[in-house]
Amino acid sequence: MAHMFYKYQGTGNDFVFFDNRQLTFSKNDTNLIARLCDRRFGIGADGLILLENDVTTDFKMVYYNADGNESSMCGNGGRCIVAFAKFLKIIEDKTTFMAVDGLHEAIITNETVALKMQDVEGITRGESYSFLNTGSPHHVTCVNDVKSVNVKEEGAKIRYGAPYNEAGTNVNFVTRIKDNHFMVRTYERGVEDETLSCGTGVTAVALAMYDQNNTNASTVLLETQGGNLEVSFTKTDGKYTNIWLKGPAQQVFKGEIQC
């Protein structure tokens, strides 16, 4: 069966989108989803996202990792689906939508999308890292020179090692540039490699750096290999609220594929 697909990217984090409001896509075919995300035998992407109808909001986001498995929240994917919904004329400049971790708000201005993330509390600090969940689990560790880190090798060791083991975690390596400006590289579980950017990852980094007193700013600039993102938040009584992830989201191309 022929399906129209759309390719979007948000700071180099790329996704295949299908408009699945008519429920025509084979959602349980893990092998198909993995093949579509394959960069040699498919379209190629860090993940696949379905836009579906929702009873109480403008639409629902269903996200799959590149390995074909449905996964936790994806921040850049969430920003990209807002751009996709505007392209489909489902929304105009503001929206609410449902994702695996609950309700999200978003605002789109030209090709910039600001996405409201879930509240966060309970940041765990280890000897040389922080761990928190920003819709997806993230391990955050500071390094002297993030550009020199073998992210795939070192990230995999942490992702599969204790205390995460089989459940795993995403892994972020961070170097402070100045004040509220940090450079970030991320190993993503499900992709099992470094991605050019990770939205929930940079959100985790911003909160972790504030929690570790590496910045006293509540608006943090995050530089990734795919581009720059901004995270702003409010901290009250140990809880992070009003968390917004902001950056570009662009349609790259569209096409038709038999699947």
Side-chain angles (χ1 to χ4, degrees):
M1 182 177 180
H3 288 272
M4 283 293 300
F5 71 87
Y6 302 82
K7 182 77 175 285
Y8 277 77
Q9 66 87 15
T11 54
N13 207 186
D14 59 343
F15 310 95
V16 174
F17 279 89
F18 289 93
D19 177 359
N20 199 39
R21 286 177 291 174
Q22 303 303 316
L23 301 178
T24 56
F25 186 84
S26 301
K27 296 172 65 173
N28 297 318
D29 192 338
T30 303
N31 292 331
L32 170 62
I33 295 168
R35 180 170 61 81
L36 291 173
C37 291
D38 190 284
R39 298 191 183 278
R40 292 177 177 83
F41 298 100
I43 300 164
D46 292 327
L48 183 146
I49 300 176
L50 304 178
L51 184 149
E52 297 185 349
N53 289 318
D54 185 65
V55 175
T56 58
T57 66
D58 292 324
F59 58 88
K60 180 170 69 173
M61 169 183 172
V62 184
Y63 174 68
Y64 298 86
N65 278 328
D67 62 6
N69 294 304
E70 192 168 354
S71 187
S72 47
M73 181 57 185
C74 175
N76 284 332
R79 294 190 310 98
C80 285
I81 200 171
V82 173
F84 184 43
K86 183 170 183 178
F87 169 78
L88 295 175
K89 302 189 186 311
I90 296 171
I91 65 167
E92 292 185 3
D93 298 326
K94 295 182 179 180
T95 185
T96 60
F97 68 92
M98 193 62 65
V100 66
D101 63 338
L103 182 69
H104 287 270
E105 299 174 39
I107 301 168
I108 182 168
T109 306
N110 297 322
E111 291 188 335
T112 298
V113 178
L115 173 68
K116 190 175 184 182
M117 307 294 283
Q118 301 299 339
D119 294 347
V120 173
E121 55 185 329
I123 299 177
T124 301
R125 276 207 223 176
E127 185 175 339
S128 59
Y129 69 92
S130 292
F131 176 80
L132 61 160
N133 194 307
T134 53
S136 290
H138 282 276
H139 175 108
V140 178
T141 186
C142 291
V143 294
N144 290 328
D145 180 14
V146 72
K147 292 181 180 179
S148 67
V149 176
N150 186 329
V151 172
K152 184 172 184 178
E153 182 178 323
E154 297 302 317
K157 290 178 184 176
I158 297 169
R159 181 256 194 266
Y160 288 104
Y164 309 115
N165 301 319
E166 186 177 348
T169 184
N170 302 283
V171 184
N172 305 272
F173 300 93
V174 191
T175 296
R176 185 184 184 200
I177 298 173
K178 62 178 181 179
D179 302 327
N180 66 332
H181 187 180
F182 297 85
M183 184 175 290
V184 185
R185 294 175 66 188
T186 303
Y187 176 99
E188 285 199 52
R189 67 172 186 176
V191 179
E192 306 310 334
D193 203 346
E194 180 178 10
T195 54
L196 292 181
S197 174
C198 175
T200 55
V202 298
T203 303
V205 168
L207 302 185
M209 293 302 96
Y210 188 89
D211 183 69
Q212 292 178 15
N213 297 314
N214 286 326
T215 182
N216 59 8
S218 58
T219 297
V220 180
L221 306 178
L222 295 312
E223 183 178 329
T224 73
Q225 290 188 308
N228 298 324
L229 292 159
E230 178 185 291
V231 175
S232 59
F233 54 86
T234 302
K235 185 180 181 183
T236 308
D237 298 326
K239 185 176 183 179
Y240 292 88
T241 62
N242 200 34
I243 304 168
W244 288 86
L245 169 66
K246 182 179 180 180
Q250 300 170 326
Q251 185 178 129
V252 181
F253 61 86
K254 62 182 178 179
E256 186 176 276
I257 193 165
Q258 295 287 336
C259 59

